């Protein structure tokens, strides 16, 4: 059973090196700058050229949404913006949702992504009450796939030639993580 309060009451989740906080306007400029980076755009499949105004409007919506959770990844010591992640497309009847993460270029390759993913998965399974969390990753993004696997995701399928990037077609891998079998849900249903 899904605890919708775990989506409406935006949490702060503390890790060893990072903190996940509700995405807010103070993150807008850094968020926008991250999506000007060509490699970030390629790894996320972002074709749209987001303006800062569009980013600000989208972030303003995030805080009021009750059907998803959008969080910024911050450095615990400096408060610096390291990226963002989201838990969305929550299927209350079947206790599953979708996940995505995007880190700024300087935050990759340091183990911060897996730390952020584990924090969010813990919240998704223990607090929200999800049984399954799924994601999509481009087949060319081996580093991300390996990181997801370290966090408990397994490849479940492939969407052949689902992304067109720089004139070439690329496959998308479908991955999912399941609630650990020894973890009983602690969330309560509220409506």
């Amino acid at each position: 059973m899904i605890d919708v309060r775990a989506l409406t009451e935006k949490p702060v989740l503390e890790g060893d090196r990072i903190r996940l906080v509700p995405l807010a306007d103070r993150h807008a400029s850094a968020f926008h700058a991250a999506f000007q980076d060509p490699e970030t755009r390629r790894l996320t499949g972002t074709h749209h050229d987001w303006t800062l105004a569009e980013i600000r409007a989208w972030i303003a919506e995030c805080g009021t949404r009750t059907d998803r959770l959008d969080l910024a990844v911050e450095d615990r010591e400096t408060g610096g913006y390291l990226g963002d992640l989201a838990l969305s497309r929550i299927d209350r009847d079947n206790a599953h949702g979708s996940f995505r993460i995007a880190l700024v270029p300087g935050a990759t390759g340091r183990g911060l992504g897996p730390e952020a993913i584990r924090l969010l998965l813990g919240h998704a399974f223990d607090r929200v009450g999800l049984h399954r969390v799924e994601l999509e990753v481009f087949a060319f993004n081996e580093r991300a796939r390996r990181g997801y696997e370290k966090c408990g995701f397994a490849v479940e399928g492939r969407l052949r030639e689902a992304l067109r990037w720089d004139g070439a077609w690329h496959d998308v891998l479908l991955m999912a993580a399941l609630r650990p079998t020894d973890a009983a849900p602690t969330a309560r249903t509220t409506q």
Side-chain angles (χ1 to χ4, degrees):
M1 301 300 255
I2 302 301
D3 185 347
V4 296
R5 287 177 302 168
L7 298 170
T8 58
E9 299 168 0
K10 309 304 182 193
V12 172
L13 306 173
E14 299 274 350
D16 292 334
R17 296 177 296 159
I18 62 167
R19 176 177 47 240
L20 304 182
V21 301
L23 197 57
D25 190 66
R26 73 178 188 273
H27 303 115
S29 292
F31 187 106
H32 181 257
F35 278 91
Q36 303 311 302
D37 175 67
E39 185 66 359
T40 299
R41 292 174 68 89
R42 183 178 80 88
L43 294 176
T44 59
T46 303
H47 291 288
H48 183 75
D49 190 16
W50 293 91
T51 66
L52 182 55
E54 288 173 318
I55 298 275
R56 282 202 155 101
W58 180 76
I59 287 174
E61 272 185 31
C62 291
T64 62
R65 303 271 313 251
T66 60
D67 62 336
R68 61 182 289 142
L69 189 58
D70 293 275
L71 302 173
V73 182
E74 292 182 343
D75 183 288
R76 269 191 71 172
E77 290 186 21
T78 68
Y81 177 82
L82 300 173
D84 78 296
L85 44 70
L87 185 62
S88 63
R89 297 190 309 213
I90 306 298
D91 179 336
R92 293 180 185 182
D93 295 324
N94 296 302
H96 68 82
S98 294
F99 167 78
R100 69 158 186 78
I101 185 171
L103 296 179
V104 300
T108 60
R110 299 178 11 207
L112 301 175
E115 184 176 348
I117 293 165
R118 287 183 182 109
L119 285 171
L120 189 68
L121 283 179
H123 185 75
F125 294 141
D126 299 337
R127 181 73 173 87
V128 179
L130 296 182
H131 174 72
R132 181 177 189 277
V133 175
E134 64 189 25
L135 62 82
E136 294 180 355
V137 62
F138 303 123
F140 58 73
N141 194 347
E142 285 292 318
R143 181 181 67 206
R145 185 190 51 77
R146 286 190 309 271
Y148 296 139
E149 288 172 342
K150 288 179 184 177
C151 293
F153 285 88
V155 174
E156 295 185 337
R158 177 182 296 262
L159 300 173
R160 296 177 303 140
E161 299 183 1
L163 172 72
R164 183 144 175 91
W165 197 264
D166 283 340
W169 290 104
H170 302 278
D171 292 356
V172 175
L173 302 178
L174 303 175
M175 300 182 76
L178 302 177
R179 173 195 305 280
T181 54
D182 59 352
T186 58
R188 293 189 317 262
T189 302
T190 62
Q191 295 183 2

